Every structure is written in C-alpha cells, then in structure tokens.
Amino acid sequence: MNNAAIRLFLVSSSIFLFGIVQDISGDQLKEIELGPDTHIKNIQEPFDYFSNNWTVIALKDYERGTRVTPEGAWILDDGVVCKPFIGPDKSFLNAQVSRTLANGHLPIVLFDFVLNHELHYTIEMFAIPWIRDWRAAYEGPNRENYINWMQITIENPRSANAIATWGWKWEPLESIQCRKLFENRHAIYGGGALRGVLQIPNDTTITAQDDALQLDIRLRPQGSATIDVAIPFQSISRFQNAAASELALLDYETWRERTESFWEVLLERGAQLSVPESKVQETYLASLVYQFITRDHNEVHPGEGFYDTYYIRDAAYQAISLAYAGFLDECAEGLEPIKRYQQESGQLMSQKGQFDANGYGVWAPVEYYRLTQDRDWLEAWYPILEKAVDFTRTMRRTETDPSSPYYGVLPRALADGEYLWDGSCHILGYDWWNLRAVQSLAYAAEVLGKTGKASELQKEFEDYRGCILKALDKTGLEFIPPSYEKKGTHWGNLEVIFPTQLIDKNDTRVGATLHEVRDNFGGGFVEGIIQWRPSIFAIHPYMSQFVTNSFIIRGEYEEAVDGFYSFLLHTTATHGFPEGIYYKKREAWSDTLPHTWAAALYVITLRNMLIREEGETLHLLSAVPGSWLEPGQRIRFHRVPTHFGEMGLETVAENERIRIQIHTPSRNKPETVAVHLPPHLEILSASCGEKSLEIASPGVVQMPGEDMDETVSLTLDVQRKDAPIQTFESTVAAYLKGLEQ
C-alpha cells in the first residue's frame, strides 16, 4: 500500500470506524459559513490566535517564498493571486478553516474539513524545486523558480452519488484556458503564460471562464477522488512546451516523500531537543524551518514578502539562534553580510541614522566564537569589530561638557523600535548595545592575546557604563526608560542583562524596569505581552522575550514561564509568530506572519530555559515548566553548543525523584553547574553517585565542574507540592475564558 493509500485508509477509518459522520451532523464541531450554500466543519480545531493567519510554503534559501493567505490563496512571483474556491456557490476559504503542518512542523500545509455535512476534503500544499538536479536544489536554488503543489482529496462517505465543485481564480488575469496534454493531465494558461498543470480524476467536467477554472467531479457512493495541481512560482512562457510536459509527468507521492525527507534530514543535522509538550516542540522545529525559508542565499531575513531584507539587529539574533540549535555553519553564513554594512566611520549600520546595529554586529560574531572557539574566525573578524567599537568611542564623546546630563553617552538619534522618529532623544538601547560591543571586543582582545588592548577596553567599558548610569540617575526615575528624555515606547532599554549582563542582574533598576513594563506601562501587560503603543491597542510579543529572558536570568520562575507561554499563545496553528498585534482584532500588523526574528527569539528563549551560561557557571533547567517534570515525563537534548562545548542532558521524572543524566561539555568544564527545579518540587536531597551535592538555595543544586566525568548521573529526591502548573493548554483556556467575561 503506497503512502497515498495509507493516508486515505486512515482518513476513511476515522470517518467510518470512529463515527465522524455522526459528529459532522452534530454539535461537536463548529460550523463555519463560507457562502450562502457553503459551510464547513473542521475535523480538528487547533488553537490559532490570529484572524489573519498567513503562512508560507517555500524552499531553503530561495529569494522568495509563496505566501499563503488566510483564504488559502497563493501569492505568486508576478503579483498574481491564485485563489481556491469550493462548493456550489464557489466560495473562498477563510481564516476559520483550520490549517496545520505535516508532522507538526514541516512546510507542508494541511487542511482537513467536511463540506455541507457530506464531502470530506483533505488538502496538502507545499513547494518542490525544479525537476533538474533536484537534490542540490532542495539545499539551495540552482534557479529561482520552483513549483507549488496542491493535492485535494475528496471523499463521499454517503450511499448516494455526489458532485464536488472545486476551482481556482487567478487575479488579476482575465482569460484562463485549460488544454489537454494527455490522459487526464491538462495545462493551465493565463496572461500569455503557463500557469500550471492539472491532473484530474475521471468523471470531471472542466469549465474555464474569465479568471477562473472550475472542476465539477462526480463521486460514487463511498468513493473518493484526487486532484493534483502543480503551479510554478514564476510563470513560464506558453511557448515553452517542454515545461508543461515536465510538470505533467511529476508524481505527487514521490515529491512529497522527497520534500518530507529533505526537511527532516536537515533538522537532524542540528542539535536534538525533545520536550514533552507537542506545541512547544513543534513550534521549536517550525521556527527553524521558517528561518531556513526566509534566508536568501544564506542571508537571514526576518520575513518572506515583508521585511525581506537584511537588518543587522534581526540577523544577529537569527544567526545566533541557529548556532544555539546546532547549525553553526549556517550561523557563520548568516553573520557574513554584516561586513558589507561597515561605513567609512567604522559604524555597522543597516538602517540609516540608528546606532544599535553597531552593537549587535559586534556581539554576534563574538558569541559565535564563544560557541565554537574558532580562533581563525575571531582573528579575521577582529579588525571589523575594532573599527565598530572605535566608532562608539568617538560618538559617545560628542558631548564635551562634563556637566551635561548626556556626557559620555551616544548623541541624539532617531529610533524606530522606541517610536522616536524625530531624532530629538538619546536612546538607552543604543547605549546598552554599544556598551555590549565594548564588552564583547574586550573579551575578543583577551582571547587573541592583545592584553594591553583588552585592559584598555575594560577601562572604556567601566567608564562608558558609569556615564550611562549617571545619565540614568539624572532622569530621577527608578526604572530604565526608553530614552534619557523619558520619551518613547520600551524596546532596547530592556536588553540590559540579556543577551549579556551589562549591569548586575539584581540591580534595583533592572527589577524596577521589569515591574514598570509588566504592571504599569499603559496599564501593564495585555494577554501576558508587553504593550508597544497603548494608544492603538498594540502589543509586541517578541519584544516581550527581552523581559522573559531577564526573568530567566534573575531566577523569577513564575514570570519567566508565564512569559514563555504568553509568547506561545500568540502564534498561528502553523506555529508562526507575528511582529506585533492589534489585540482587539487578534490581527498581526501588516500580515507579518511568520516573522522570523520572533522565531529566533523563541528558539533562544527555549534554549535558555533549558541550558544557559552565566560566566563560568552552566545553568540547567532554569525555567522548566512543571508539567515537563511530572512523573513519567522526559526532557532530552544532545549536541547542544555551549560556551563550554557541545553537551547533552536527559531527565526522567518519577513520583518522588528526578533522575538527570548530563553528558558533560566536550571542550572544557564550567567552574560550577547549577541544576534548577520548579518551585513546586522541593529538593530534599541530591547526590551524584555516592557523593552528596549542595542545595545552594531552594530549588537549586550546585556541583563543581571539576568533579564532572564524561557522563554524570544526578539523583534529586523531591517532595511535590500542590500548585497550579501552567501549560500551553491552560494558557489558551485562560485566554478564552477571559474573552467570555
């Protein structure tokens, strides 16, 4: 039995053996009206936050992907929209028609629903490379064109004949034609070009009129039919008859298997991570897939069809997220374009007039070195990084009056994140990031044996930080504002202890800032997310991860876990994150889905919850949700890069015991390893073999790194306390309950 037959058997079994036919007519499934005579019921209804739940089907490293609209339409290369319709009144799909991903995370988009209580539709759509040299073309484009594939399977579980209507509109084309090639394969033309090739079942009537192609398929009792359509992303001259013949000979099952295999093998090349919560796991893997899709010839971009260009600040986080996920070569590729953006002044600048990229562009290459210890890499980058820091040193000395409140900090500049466009303010985030550049270069100089330079840079760091803190004191605020002028919305000012600590994590200003944005600014968090501009009811999920990671670092467990799940709440059912949200409409700004800077921050946050470095201390399980340590659950990861080398871990939870096996970092041992457990698990005793371990504080066990063998087995005896345990499902339930109130 081939894969198509297996899938058909499973679907049919679910209908006939498990009584979905009865559910179709009952109240178990919500009815969705697509048109006056067309309504559907989803077979599954996974939670999807968005009313504009865009997604994408595409290939790794191609310049452009095919954006899939909430109506299931494809946005093609020349701006043509290929829009499917269904049913007797030729209705379009909408955002309420559930969509998921194959295997939970692959860029194979699935729809599964019942039409008018009668016909069961399953739809798959994905992208494949052009046929020639296809193996290499999965890894990256040998030509920019590729093929979008859609398969529609229709089943008639009834005891009478049925007619199924399906079709497509090509907007704004005016004359669609369909010509038979051979057997049941037809070429579709429009606008003077080949638009695709169609394979239809027997007993199908084709009608081409204006911009639409309609199929009416006769289905026998308890019968099924399958439609395949292959549509090039870039249209092809109608005179290239060979292209139509090539498309007509494609076999759906072969190419689906190749597509699934490519993406799964690619993901297996990275670090392996497994947590016992499907939404968390699937979103992690999908976030990596989206990153590879939105890369253009190895250059990381934060969006497909929007923000489809290089931003140093986005790229820094995106590239490092790939490194944390074990894709070190891909990280190096993603950082390489930074060099192109160095100005004669030394400044690293991808967005004119803004200073933060200069810090991101120094931190990320140094962080890559920390993970790889590639000295040649660091030496090659050092002159670029040094010039960037020289720019910082010059610019922060623009103000020469020591009595000025802005002495020793960067000059006024515009800032898009802080929504301060007129350039009249001094931006805190710009100073934090340029201070981080000095910090990073000082470390690099020390590594490369430039001890005099390292000492000089450390003094520069201390002086610069002192000037920032003095300027902060002059604001009279207890918290760190977006600008010293106390204007703007919160953004870079939140990145003070994440991704590196610039001041002590327990500094009262850090705690006051987290309290300000979480509880006060605009009335505090909305749906667990920081407000960006309260006046327009806008929240910013990925910016909240600056806050969430700060809570992780500070050991504020409940706030960290809630921040993580609140971020996860604001995703599509295909695991796409937005840029920002108009929360009253549940709408992503400007259809910014999936946004891959947000995806990168998800990968980084999940990694930091499980494993993170703090100087010479390795922290494990810093903010693990309690449900992951319920009896019988396991957490696993291996080949995870850290500052100490690759490492792995496995936890096995029992009723009164947590067993943890650590595969020690491969390169060098940390001074200390700190293992954390959630507050509801009181640690009674801890041991490594016959040796007792120190319970450093409630919920934290420490052991000297020098005592670690290649593999270390820890046993933590625990007492479980009654406490609510947050999960993705409980977060969704609380959100939906809040909507009812």
Side-chain angles (χ1 to χ4, degrees):
M1 185 181 291
N2 63 26
N3 286 348
I6 291 171
R7 283 199 296 274
L8 179 60
F9 170 77
L10 291 174
V11 169
S12 300
S13 297
S14 69
I15 290 176
F16 295 113
L17 297 181
F18 297 102
I20 289 180
V21 168
Q22 286 75 16
D23 288 348
I24 290 168
S25 300
D27 296 329
Q28 292 88 337
L29 299 173
K30 177 184 175 182
E31 188 162 275
I32 299 164
E33 183 176 315
L34 302 182
D37 300 314
T38 304
H39 49 265
I40 67 108
K41 290 186 176 183
N42 294 308
I43 295 299
Q44 299 180 39
E45 291 193 322
F47 177 76
D48 194 319
Y49 179 87
F50 290 96
S51 60
N52 58 337
N53 48 1
W54 288 68
T55 189
V56 63
I57 54 173
L59 295 167
K60 176 177 174 286
D61 284 326
Y62 283 61
E63 285 189 8
R64 296 183 63 193
T66 300
R67 301 197 69 210
V68 182
T69 74
E71 296 76 31
W74 293 346
I75 310 297
L76 302 176
D77 180 65
D78 53 2
V80 170
V81 180
C82 179
K83 199 170 183 179
F85 60 80
I86 188 173
D89 50 12
K90 295 186 285 188
S91 299
F92 299 117
L93 307 181
N94 63 31
Q96 297 180 74
V97 183
S98 293
R99 60 216 65 196
T100 57
L101 299 179
N103 296 1
H105 58 270
L106 299 180
I108 302 173
V109 180
L110 312 177
F111 298 77
D112 190 4
F113 57 83
V114 172
L115 174 71
N116 293 345
H117 304 286
E118 294 181 349
L119 301 180
H120 181 201
Y121 281 74
T122 54
I123 302 166
E124 294 190 339
M125 53 178 71
F126 56 94
I128 66 171
W130 205 259
I131 303 95
R132 304 183 191 93
D133 196 20
W134 59 268
R135 289 180 178 85
Y138 270 115
E139 282 287 351
N142 51 17
R143 58 189 291 183
E144 280 301 330
N145 204 4
Y146 57 90
I147 301 160
N148 293 310
W149 206 314
M150 179 184 292
Q151 183 178 80
I152 306 100
T153 301
I154 312 167
E155 297 173 82
N156 174 23
R158 304 296 181 178
S159 57
N161 290 331
I163 299 293
T165 296
W166 181 271
W168 298 268
K169 285 174 66 73
W170 277 264
E171 299 173 347
L173 304 182
E174 295 181 353
S175 179
I176 296 296
Q177 299 174 345
C178 191
R179 296 182 182 177
K180 186 172 183 177
L181 296 170
F182 57 89
E183 296 178 352
N184 57 354
R185 291 167 173 81
H186 299 256
I188 306 167
Y189 296 95
L194 175 68
R195 295 292 169 176
V197 169
L198 180 66
Q199 181 175 345
I200 60 174
N202 297 326
D203 295 329
T204 298
T205 302
I206 303 176
T207 305
Q209 184 176 4
D210 299 328
D211 61 354
L213 181 70
Q214 179 176 324
L215 307 178
D216 293 296
I217 306 107
R218 181 179 295 275
L219 295 167
R220 298 179 182 276
Q222 299 184 3
S224 66
T226 298
I227 305 162
D228 287 330
V229 64
I231 296 178
F233 178 64
Q234 299 171 349
S235 61
I236 299 170
S237 169
R238 66 182 304 145
F239 300 108
Q240 295 183 26
N241 295 326
S245 299
E246 282 184 292
L247 292 177
L249 292 173
L250 296 179
D251 174 68
Y252 174 84
E253 283 300 317
T254 298
W255 285 95
R256 192 195 187 282
E257 289 173 6
R258 287 172 178 172
T259 301
E260 180 174 343
S261 175
F262 167 75
W263 286 106
E264 294 292 21
V265 169
L266 173 64
L267 292 171
E268 287 171 5
R269 296 204 312 240
Q272 299 301 293
L273 182 153
S274 175
V275 299
E277 192 170 8
S278 59
K279 174 65 178 181
V280 175
Q281 179 78 20
E282 290 169 0
T283 304
Y284 172 78
L285 295 172
S287 293
L288 295 174
V289 169
Y290 287 139
Q291 294 251 50
F292 284 117
I293 283 175
T294 58
R295 293 190 348 155
D296 289 6
H297 301 278
N298 303 332
E299 184 176 288
V300 288
H301 290 185
E304 195 68 77
F306 61 90
Y307 298 145
D308 202 351
T309 189
Y310 196 81
Y311 300 80
I312 291 176
R313 67 184 182 191
D314 304 45
Y317 274 125
Q318 287 184 258
I320 292 302
S321 77
L322 290 175
Y324 288 162
F327 294 98
L328 294 167
D329 290 344
E330 291 80 359
C331 172
E333 293 167 351
L335 295 176
E336 192 66 22
I338 289 174
K339 298 174 182 177
R340 299 202 307 264
Y341 292 92
Q342 189 152 51
Q343 312 298 305
E344 289 186 11
S345 64
Q347 182 185 10
L348 298 171
M349 181 180 69
S350 54
Q351 278 61 55
K352 187 175 180 179
Q354 302 184 51
F355 294 144
D356 53 351
N358 199 62
Y360 285 103
V362 177
W363 163 74
V366 174
E367 179 66 9
Y368 174 84
Y369 168 78
R370 289 179 183 270
L371 295 168
T372 63
Q373 299 293 295
D374 186 339
R375 187 183 178 91
D376 291 341
W377 159 276
L378 192 61
E379 285 183 339
W381 272 86
Y382 186 86
I384 296 164
L385 309 183
E386 185 176 37
K387 288 177 183 177
V389 171
D390 285 344
F391 168 81
T392 296
R393 297 174 71 173
T394 298
M395 292 303 290
R396 80 175 194 87
R397 289 171 170 82
T398 303
E399 176 57 68
T400 59
D401 180 2
S403 65
S404 168
Y406 310 117
Y407 181 74
V409 300
L410 292 174
R412 294 179 175 87
L414 65 88
D416 61 354
E418 286 80 0
Y419 207 73
L420 293 170
W421 289 96
D422 64 4
S424 65
C425 293
H426 297 75
I427 310 302
L428 255 299
Y430 291 176
D431 278 320
W432 289 143
W433 270 105
N434 281 270
L435 180 64
R436 186 167 283 121
V438 178
Q439 180 190 56
S440 299
L441 188 67
Y443 168 81
E446 185 71 32
V447 166
L448 296 176
K450 303 175 188 291
T451 53
K453 185 68 173 180
S455 177
E456 175 190 328
L457 287 165
Q458 186 59 39
K459 291 177 182 177
E460 176 74 11
F461 175 82
E462 297 295 342
D463 182 73
Y464 190 5
R465 180 169 63 179
C467 290
I468 295 170
L469 296 180
K470 286 179 182 177
L472 273 175
D473 288 342
K474 290 178 181 179
T475 67
L477 298 174
E478 294 181 354
F479 63 88
I480 303 166
S483 69
Y484 300 103
E485 289 81 0
K486 299 185 275 191
K487 297 179 182 178
T489 196
H490 296 275
W491 188 274
N493 57 310
L494 303 174
E495 295 168 282
V496 59
I497 63 170
F498 166 78
T500 65
Q501 293 186 43
L502 300 174
I503 63 177
D504 189 283
K505 65 183 179 181
N506 295 315
D507 190 297
T508 58
R509 283 167 286 214
V510 177
T513 304
L514 298 177
H515 170 68
E516 170 65 19
V517 296
R518 198 168 193 266
D519 302 322
N520 295 334
F521 179 65
F525 277 16
V526 173
E527 301 173 0
I529 298 297
I530 191 172
Q531 296 197 61
W532 188 63
R533 292 186 65 204
S535 61
I536 60 172
F537 306 106
I539 56 177
H540 207 301
Y542 77 72
M543 189 172 60
S544 290
Q545 295 316 285
F546 305 156
V547 176
T548 298
N549 279 279
S550 298
F551 282 134
I552 294 171
I553 292 164
R554 284 167 57 87
E556 297 180 67
Y557 174 86
E558 287 85 359
E559 293 85 351
V561 171
D562 183 67
F564 173 74
Y565 279 120
S566 296
F567 188 35
L568 198 58
L569 172 75
H570 295 87
T571 56
T572 63
T574 52
H575 315 310
F577 290 94
E579 179 185 26
I581 298 171
Y582 299 115
Y583 61 89
K584 286 185 174 292
K585 298 184 288 184
R586 291 172 65 166
E587 180 181 290
W589 305 348
S590 304
D591 301 322
T592 48
L593 289 160
H595 193 289
T596 47
W597 184 4
L601 282 167
Y602 176 80
V603 170
I604 291 170
T605 301
L606 180 57
R607 186 258 193 190
N608 286 345
M609 292 166 69
L610 295 169
I611 179 171
R612 63 182 180 86
E613 309 89 346
E614 192 171 323
E616 291 301 313
T617 299
L618 178 66
H619 291 270
L620 301 175
L621 311 180
S622 290
V624 170
S627 66
W628 301 0
L629 292 172
E630 287 293 282
Q633 301 295 354
R634 294 173 182 258
I635 302 167
R636 299 186 184 93
F637 57 79
H638 62 95
R639 300 204 313 266
V640 174
T642 75
H643 295 177
F644 309 103
E646 288 189 353
M647 67 163 295
L649 176 145
E650 180 174 355
T651 70
V652 179
E654 302 170 1
N655 282 327
E656 298 177 348
R657 183 166 289 171
I658 307 294
R659 300 184 186 274
I660 302 173
Q661 187 174 74
I662 302 170
H663 301 283
T664 305
S666 58
R667 191 167 52 241
N668 56 289
K669 295 178 181 179
E671 289 181 3
T672 305
V673 177
V675 180
H676 303 248
L677 290 185
H680 78 284
L681 294 178
E682 181 184 356
I683 303 174
L684 303 177
S685 64
S687 61
C688 177
E690 300 298 321
K691 184 175 181 179
S692 296
L693 298 177
E694 176 189 2
I695 302 176
S697 59
V700 183
V701 171
Q702 286 189 349
M703 65 180 298
E706 63 184 11
D707 291 349
M708 297 179 70
D709 297 322
E710 184 175 337
T711 301
V712 176
S713 296
L714 307 183
T715 301
L716 308 183
D717 292 319
V718 299
Q719 179 176 327
R720 295 179 179 273
K721 302 176 183 178
D722 290 334
I725 295 177
Q726 188 172 3
T727 64
F728 176 70
E729 288 187 358
S730 72
T731 304
V732 171
Y735 168 73
L736 295 176
K737 184 177 181 180
L739 293 181
E740 296 172 357
Q741 295 175 350

